[in-house]
Amino acid sequence: QVQLVESGGGLVQPGGSLRLSCAVSGTIFSINGMGWYRQAPGKQRELVAGINSGGWPNYADSVKGRFTISRENAKNTVYLQMNSLKPEDTAVYYCKAMVRPTAILVEYEYWGQGTQVTVSS
């Protein structure tokens, strides 16, 4: 069993900052790609930022220069630092991790439960 627990969401004014965390626990041999997605009401879930096992990030164009994804492998945790937040960043943010439970070369996709981020004055 693998669990992803997100934290750090909340209400923030436009221009403000939040830091999301996602801790992965359970039966883990290694974690490959990790990422943050978001889903606003009435919209499809979209990729916000991803980071591979080597630490190389990629970002959606809408958040480049404002958001930073990082990971702390020793803690099986991925972070999303969000600066200069805009009302259009309002959404439920989900963490995803590609986990190898054993040394067998098979990985599985796991998702967190989501955390609400609301940007409003």
Side-chain angles (χ1 to χ4, degrees):
Q1 292 282 359
V2 172
Q3 298 83 39
L4 278 65
V5 178
E6 299 138 338
S7 60
L11 173 64
V12 63
Q13 291 187 341
S17 298
L18 283 175
R19 188 191 195 208
L20 305 182
S21 299
C22 173
V24 185
S25 62
T27 304
I28 301 168
F29 177 80
S30 66
I31 302 175
N32 297 326
M34 305 181 83
W36 288 95
Y37 291 71
R38 67 186 180 188
Q39 188 166 19
K43 295 188 176 181
Q44 290 189 330
R45 190 172 297 189
E46 61 177 0
L47 173 69
V48 176
I51 187 167
N52 65 13
S53 57
W56 291 98
N58 64 283
Y59 299 96
D61 287 343
S62 59
V63 305
K64 282 181 180 177
R66 300 188 297 122
F67 291 10
T68 302
I69 189 170
S70 61
R71 61 190 287 170
E72 191 169 357
N73 292 331
K75 294 185 177 181
N76 293 330
T77 300
V78 62
Y79 305 97
L80 186 68
Q81 177 67 43
M82 305 185 293
N83 298 329
S84 303
L85 282 160
K86 304 175 181 180
E88 51 263 44
D89 295 317
T90 296
V92 178
Y93 283 69
Y94 297 91
C95 171
K96 186 182 86 170
M98 302 302 297
V99 179
R100 282 177 61 191
T102 70
I104 297 173
L105 291 176
V106 177
E107 63 179 18
Y108 299 91
E109 180 180 287
Y110 294 93
W111 290 86
Q113 79 286 355
T115 185
Q116 177 70 45
V117 171
T118 302
V119 185
S120 175
S121 55

